[in-house]
Amino acid sequence: MIQTKLIPRTTEAFEPPMLIKNLLAESLKYEPHREIVYRDLFRMNYVEFNRRVRRLANVLTGLGVKPGDTVAVFDWDSHRYLECFFGVTSIGAILHTVNVRLSPAQILYTMNHAQDKVVLMHEDFLPILNAVKDQLTTVETFVLISDKVYTDLNAIGQVPAGFSGEYEALLRDVSDHYDFPDFNENTWATTFYTTGTTGNPKGVYFSHRQLFMHTMGLLTYLIGYEALPFKSRTDVYMPITPMFHVHAWGFPFLATLMAAKQVYPGKYEPAMLCKLIVTEGVTLSHCVPTILNMIVNSPLAQQYQDNFSRWSVLIGGSALTKGLARAALNLGINVTAGYGMSETAPILSVVYLNDTERALPLDEQVEFRTRAGRIAPFVEARLVDEDGQFLPHDGETLGEIVVRTPWTTQGYYNDPERGAELWRGGWLHTGDVASITPDHWIMVADRTKDVIKTGGEWVSSLDMEDALSQVEGVAESAVIGLPDDRWGERPHALIVQKPGYNLTTEGIKAGLQSRIDRGELHKWYMPDRILFVPEIPKTSVGKIDKKRIRSEMKEQILS
């Protein structure tokens, strides 16, 4: 790093730290009467929201939470979760957003590893607690969360042993005055756990500064460049990505900063999601392809088609296939893709159509809308080979994506070896194989562990899934590589059919072969085996679980 001359500083000059509390404070300046809505059960404006955040701070400090302590949350996507995003972090404590879809053993590991002190738990997850409670090593008390409070507090019944009380009742009994302190912007703010192919879940962590800067990155790209239409004056935001998954991709921080109307759907149910989109006027959401596929193929989709025309959806977590994109666009949904990972908070790229690309017919835009996106502001992204050497951004050369941003995690909590592997060479290694075009498009080919190496060729499982998605009647597909004595590996596919179709292996292979004959697909893109299944195995955050698919298909072949 070069030597520079620092600006002189007056002794009493104040340099405001970048803190999450400052994002919250902005919500009261311009549109404090906009609403935050939870299902069809609860609504409040930003004035009341700020009061409730301060009440939560008083509840937590009353329970003994001090700066540096960890508070865990088990809840569906709700206004309460949003309150925790601000109330826990703004007192200097650490918010642990627990992945409720992990196994009880994995949840136990993450809670002990994060050293949770206080746990806020929705009653729906009490069976998980009952399975692990006796093995928790640091938890001192629990707070019960229940939706029943909105009709009758007394309907909750007996608060379980070990609980200090119920969330709403505790908030009701404390003051709504709390002066959030200033502290170092590099203070640890949040943690959550991401699973890999081996070992225990890894603890990812972020500071106030990192989350503040990630919010500024989203603000620049979404509002400044209009990569997604999101204007606080008219837009209504509803996440359909779990809030335990990378802070719902950081959008709740942005929506609160902008005092945009926010809608939280609780547990994901197609009927409720469609109802909220219509009744609350939702205009912006984000989700994994599985959720969008569920909505697009819902019997309610055609009924609500007129309302979908104002709805923009950002897809991440897994690749957006052309088949799903076209199905959504045919319903009027403005669908585009983005790219990132848990360790990058997560935004690295979002589809941005320039003037020339926006002028293309919608069907031609699909090629761009399904890419991983253009590199986001303040993100450095490069390609490297296996020796760590940089590769050209020519749109053809494949390499691993490595990145540096103001908001990437600095490692894994209490796991220096895996943290050093993540950051080898001073760049964060994503594990994704891609090309980058001269005009900054990222085109992800595959995860390094999912690329199929067959006959000396690299075959992208994502490209194969994209090809299968365009076969009429295919609702969803997954492709994995399995060992082959002759070719090294060969692709195998799982397919879920749309209702009312009766697809055959021969018919699908004939469709692929016609595209191969026309030169649209390489010959290696013909799967050796196609299995029709009722559903495709997913991970805890809705991604295709290729590790499980590989294991199960190997067993089938061997048996």
Side-chain angles (χ1 to χ4, degrees):
M1 187 173 292
I2 66 169
Q3 293 294 318
T4 59
K5 186 175 183 179
L6 301 180
I7 62 170
R9 299 186 61 179
T10 303
T11 304
E12 295 185 2
F14 178 65
E15 185 175 354
M18 299 179 188
L19 299 177
I20 291 171
K21 72 164 187 171
N22 300 125
L23 303 177
L24 175 66
E26 294 301 313
S27 68
L28 287 175
K29 283 186 177 178
Y30 308 112
E31 299 289 351
H33 298 293
R34 289 220 177 103
E35 289 186 313
I36 297 171
V37 179
Y38 174 55
R39 292 175 77 87
D40 52 1
L41 297 173
F42 180 81
R43 60 182 62 232
M44 62 180 164
N45 62 26
Y46 276 94
V47 175
E48 180 61 20
F49 173 68
N50 275 262
R51 290 189 185 123
R52 287 172 60 90
V53 170
R54 294 192 295 269
R55 287 179 183 274
L56 174 59
N58 279 314
V59 167
L60 293 173
T61 53
L63 293 175
V65 176
K66 301 183 296 296
D69 287 339
T70 305
V71 176
V73 178
F74 290 72
D75 196 9
W76 305 112
D77 288 5
S78 72
H79 63 294
R80 297 173 297 246
Y81 224 136
L82 185 66
E83 290 160 4
C84 291
F85 274 27
F86 293 93
V88 174
T89 58
S90 294
I91 64 174
I94 302 163
L95 174 65
H96 176 194
T97 56
V98 179
N99 183 343
V100 298
R101 296 174 185 164
L102 295 178
S103 69
Q106 288 175 314
I107 289 174
L108 172 66
Y109 170 81
T110 66
M111 294 179 71
N112 285 337
H113 190 262
Q115 298 178 300
D116 296 339
K117 182 174 182 176
V118 173
V119 180
L120 282 59
M121 176 167 286
H122 193 286
E123 60 185 347
D124 287 356
F125 304 114
L126 288 175
I128 297 175
L129 175 62
N130 293 333
V132 304
K133 189 175 181 181
D134 293 341
Q135 302 171 70
L136 294 172
T137 57
T138 60
V139 175
E140 295 181 3
T141 190
F142 299 85
V143 172
L144 184 69
I145 293 172
S146 174
D147 290 342
K148 296 188 180 75
V149 69
Y150 301 117
T151 54
D152 181 7
L153 251 176
N154 296 322
I156 296 170
Q158 185 68 36
V159 175
F163 282 70
S164 294
E166 189 273 331
Y167 185 92
E168 293 294 333
L170 291 172
L171 258 63
R172 181 190 58 194
D173 293 338
V174 296
S175 169
D176 62 5
H177 295 284
Y178 195 100
D179 187 15
F180 291 119
D182 285 321
F183 42 77
N184 192 303
E185 64 188 22
N186 294 306
T187 297
W188 188 353
T190 66
T191 191
F192 55 85
Y193 285 75
T194 181
T195 57
T197 54
T198 59
N200 288 317
K202 304 184 292 290
V204 179
Y205 50 87
F206 296 95
S207 69
H208 282 254
R209 183 183 190 278
Q210 288 171 321
L211 297 178
F212 190 101
M213 287 303 300
H214 185 266
T215 306
M216 294 303 105
L218 281 175
L219 184 70
T220 302
Y221 212 13
L222 269 63
I223 298 168
Y225 288 97
E226 295 187 355
L228 281 174
F230 188 34
K231 298 178 177 63
S232 62
R233 297 188 305 277
T234 55
D235 281 284
V236 179
Y237 164 69
M238 180 175 76
I240 322 180
T241 303
M243 297 181 78
F244 65 70
H245 186 217
V246 207
H247 325 107
W249 299 357
F251 280 79
F253 290 119
L254 174 63
T256 301
L257 165 69
M258 296 170 60
K261 180 178 177 180
Q262 301 185 59
V263 180
Y264 287 88
K267 190 175 183 179
Y268 298 158
E269 300 160 337
M272 177 57 70
L273 293 174
C274 289
K275 176 182 177 182
L276 291 171
I277 290 168
V278 174
T279 60
E280 301 298 340
V282 175
T283 62
L284 176 66
S285 297
H286 48 78
C287 62
V288 296
T290 306
I291 298 294
L292 182 61
N293 193 60
M294 176 180 73
I295 294 172
V296 166
N297 289 299
S298 166
L300 298 170
Q302 297 298 326
Q303 178 181 339
Y304 293 130
Q305 183 169 354
D306 291 344
N307 299 93
F308 286 156
S309 62
R310 65 190 178 199
W311 190 34
S312 295
V313 180
L314 177 66
I315 295 295
S318 298
L320 172 62
T321 64
K322 292 182 180 67
L324 179 56
R326 288 194 174 98
L329 290 167
N330 287 339
L331 288 170
I333 300 169
N334 177 28
V335 63
T336 52
Y339 167 68
M341 56 191 296
S342 296
E343 291 83 349
T344 63
I347 297 296
L348 293 174
S349 64
V350 173
V351 166
Y352 170 78
L353 300 177
N354 63 25
D355 293 343
T356 302
E357 293 152 354
R358 269 196 302 274
L360 294 172
L362 200 58
D363 193 59
E364 293 182 35
Q365 291 182 19
V366 169
E367 169 62 34
F368 296 97
R369 288 171 176 266
T370 53
R371 292 180 178 181
R374 273 191 163 103
I375 300 170
F378 316 123
V379 173
E380 290 183 84
R382 302 290 296 272
L383 298 176
V384 296
D385 61 18
E386 293 179 350
D387 298 321
Q389 299 300 307
F390 291 127
L391 298 170
H393 293 184
D394 56 14
E396 296 180 2
T397 304
L398 292 176
E400 183 188 4
I401 307 171
V402 295
V403 297
R404 294 193 295 209
T405 81
W407 49 76
T408 39
T409 189
Q410 298 299 294
Y412 297 118
Y413 177 52
N414 204 23
D415 195 345
E417 290 185 6
R418 287 200 282 189
E421 176 67 14
L422 177 72
W423 272 101
R424 61 190 184 277
W427 290 79
L428 187 145
H429 286 249
T430 66
D432 289 318
V433 175
S435 63
I436 299 177
T437 69
D439 53 349
H440 311 297
W441 283 101
I442 293 178
M443 295 186 289
V444 175
D446 225 329
R447 295 288 294 169
T448 53
K449 63 180 180 291
D450 292 332
V451 172
I452 302 166
K453 302 174 183 68
T454 179
E457 300 284 341
W458 276 22
V459 173
S460 165
S461 66
L462 301 183
D463 284 350
M464 291 191 67
E465 290 161 5
D466 187 66
L468 289 168
S469 78
Q470 297 177 68
V471 175
E472 186 177 0
V474 172
E476 201 174 8
S477 66
V479 176
I480 52 99
L482 292 177
D484 183 89
D485 291 338
R486 181 180 181 187
W487 301 111
E489 282 187 319
R490 287 294 297 148
H492 298 251
L494 298 183
I495 287 178
V496 176
Q497 300 183 68
K498 292 180 180 178
Y501 284 84
N502 187 23
L503 301 179
T504 64
T505 297
E506 294 75 18
I508 288 176
K509 286 192 172 185
L512 293 176
Q513 187 62 51
S514 66
R515 295 188 64 187
I516 292 171
D517 293 342
R518 293 196 300 270
E520 297 175 6
L521 292 176
H522 196 283
K523 65 179 180 179
W524 298 111
Y525 280 57
M526 180 67 74
D528 274 16
R529 171 181 294 203
I530 295 175
L531 294 179
F532 294 98
V533 294
E535 62 181 358
I536 298 209
K538 303 292 196 312
T539 68
S540 61
V541 293
K543 299 180 183 179
I544 295 174
D545 192 343
K546 294 196 174 181
K547 177 185 175 184
R548 177 180 163 189
I549 293 170
R550 256 185 232 104
S551 175
E552 292 178 353
M553 291 193 79
K554 278 183 183 178
E555 289 180 7
Q556 288 186 33
I557 292 173
L558 291 175
S559 61

